[in-house]
Amino acid sequence: MQSHEQLAWLPPGDVWLDDEGQIIQAHGGGMLIFEGRYYWYGENRDVPPGQGNVKGVSCYSSTDLVHWTHHGVVLPVVHDAPDHDLYFRKVIERPKVIYNARTRQFVMVLHIDSPDYKYARVGFAVSEAPTGPFVYLGSVRPNNSESRDMTVFQDDDGQAYLFYASEGNATMHIAKLSDDYLHVEPDYIRIFENEYREAPAVFKRRGKYFLITSGCSGWEPNAAQYAVADSILGPWEVVGNPCRGPGADKTFGAQGTFVLPVQDRNTWIFMADRWKPKQLWNSRYIWLPIHFLADDRIVIRWEGGAAERTGHGGQENA
Ligand code: DGJ
């Protein structure tokens, strides 16, 4: 159903504040839409220098994408167990949450790593409520393969998939998750072989699957690339950079993390992080609408002003 109501969100690149006036800490994040609310999960990087990488995963919620209520750190790091996956000096990145209607659990899937990024695992946590607290279950190397930047995608039939940068980040894998979303199934496909893509963000529109990735250049921005498929398990057709205009070769200084489908508004929002490597807590959010051309081609432009940015019909000609 297409609505003509306008959809707006905060200005990309500005300082975004929560309901308490604090800078929103939801980096490398993802969004869950549940019972009419948006739940935004991401890395809380509000840690003093030398006090580790991350505070844990924070959750914010909103009904309008503009006003965000902070629900606190729903998966905190631990300080007293250096071997624990969530030890405060380790890497905890790119959390994504999906709801499992069968088990009635909210399942968080996230990148767990050592400070040198050699541990390369995917972790799982569960909660009875979207606002936590999440209970950490542990991490795996899916199919005995490395898993760094990752995302999960839940299809309309409830099947969930894990996309993860593997093989030294050279090749991305896609595997099904088990029915309870807590295990990675043994079969997987390899895509972007030796292309070094990371930061996967997946969405579906009119039966087609889209996957936007970044290149691998640490915290520095690079050119995005997207691929399209009729089936999640491939084949994926690599199309090219969806970004257009000044800054397009560097994804407008940002790196993708999620695509938020606001389907009743016929709008898909590309969510990206403009990292500040020396002040990760102060990194900015860049959310831009995705425009759809004929033949399942997409375009993302810098759209900074509120009037430019508000909801659109989704289809354009050139
Ligand atoms: C790029 C990844 O996408 C980020 O999540 C983070 O792991 C940085 N690399 C670290 O350099």
Side-chain angles (χ1 to χ4, degrees):
M1 190 183 72
Q2 185 167 341
S3 156
H4 296 286
E5 276 177 76
Q6 292 240 301
L7 179 67
W9 53 92
L10 294 163
D14 280 12
V15 175
W16 293 13
L17 302 179
D18 66 13
D19 57 327
E20 295 155 354
Q22 302 297 314
I23 295 183
I24 293 179
Q25 292 295 322
H27 311 286
M31 199 77 76
L32 167 77
I33 304 175
F34 185 75
E35 294 182 344
R37 273 191 99 80
Y38 300 98
Y39 292 89
W40 183 12
Y41 303 87
E43 303 154 20
N44 186 321
R45 297 281 188 174
D46 188 17
V47 271
Q51 298 296 303
N53 270 327
V54 62
K55 231 181 194 171
V57 177
S58 262
C59 173
Y60 297 81
S61 77
S62 174
T63 53
D64 61 6
L65 299 178
V66 173
H67 301 91
W68 291 98
T69 302
H70 189 204
H71 299 287
V73 179
V74 295
L75 182 73
V77 293
V78 301
H79 286 88
D80 52 358
D83 291 337
H84 198 288
D85 280 357
L86 302 180
Y87 187 56
F88 74 112
R89 297 205 184 279
K90 291 191 178 169
V91 166
I92 294 155
E93 292 181 349
R94 297 190 175 268
K96 305 289 177 281
V97 174
I98 48 179
Y99 176 64
N100 191 311
R102 283 195 196 98
T103 61
R104 298 189 179 182
Q105 280 185 319
F106 295 85
V107 177
M108 182 184 292
V109 187
L110 67 174
H111 175 192
I112 298 289
D113 225 318
S114 46
D116 61 3
Y117 286 91
K118 289 196 171 148
Y119 193 49
R121 293 165 81 94
V122 60
F124 294 86
V126 291
S127 170
E128 302 300 319
T131 50
F134 281 81
V135 175
Y136 187 67
L137 301 178
S139 67
V140 292
R141 273 199 166 179
N143 303 301
N144 293 320
S145 307
E146 291 175 343
S147 174
R148 292 195 181 82
D149 274 16
M150 42 57 65
T151 195
V152 287
F153 176 76
Q154 186 182 41
D155 210 344
D156 303 326
D157 60 2
Q159 177 67 55
Y161 299 82
L162 176 70
F163 290 63
Y164 52 106
S166 196
E167 305 179 29
N169 282 352
T171 298
M172 192 167 282
H173 292 186
I174 308 173
K176 285 184 179 176
L177 293 181
S178 56
D179 287 350
D180 60 8
Y181 302 166
L182 302 179
H183 304 277
V184 186
E185 295 284 330
D187 292 337
Y188 64 96
I189 64 157
R190 299 170 71 242
I191 58 169
F192 310 142
E193 204 173 321
N194 292 319
E195 300 225 356
Y196 290 88
R197 306 304 302 175
E198 61 180 6
V202 186
F203 66 100
K204 184 180 190 179
R205 180 181 182 264
R206 299 187 183 168
K208 291 272 180 189
Y209 300 92
F210 295 80
L211 166 57
I212 304 176
T213 63
S214 76
C216 289
S217 52
W219 300 112
E220 297 306 317
N222 54 53
Q225 190 184 75
Y226 75 103
V228 184
D230 289 319
S231 155
I232 295 197
L233 295 177
W236 286 88
E237 177 205 359
V238 176
V239 184
N241 186 353
C243 300
R244 295 280 181 282
D249 58 332
K250 294 270 164 42
T251 318
F252 314 108
Q255 182 186 35
T257 183
F258 196 76
V259 172
L260 171 62
V262 191
Q263 289 177 14
D264 61 339
R265 311 286 182 88
N266 203 28
T267 299
W268 280 256
I269 302 171
F270 175 63
M271 295 168 53
D273 298 284
R274 188 179 274 170
W275 299 113
K276 294 193 181 186
K278 292 188 177 143
Q279 290 186 322
L280 284 171
W281 59 271
N282 204 14
S283 302
R284 301 277 193 265
Y285 308 106
I286 306 289
W287 291 7
L288 298 170
I290 296 175
H291 299 270
F292 293 91
L293 314 183
D295 300 327
D296 304 307
R297 298 305 183 237
I298 61 172
V299 162
I300 301 171
R301 296 197 188 86
W302 178 259
E303 296 175 45
E308 285 181 273
R309 217 175 50 245
T310 47
H312 58 94
Q315 185 89 25
E316 58 178 49
N317 294 321

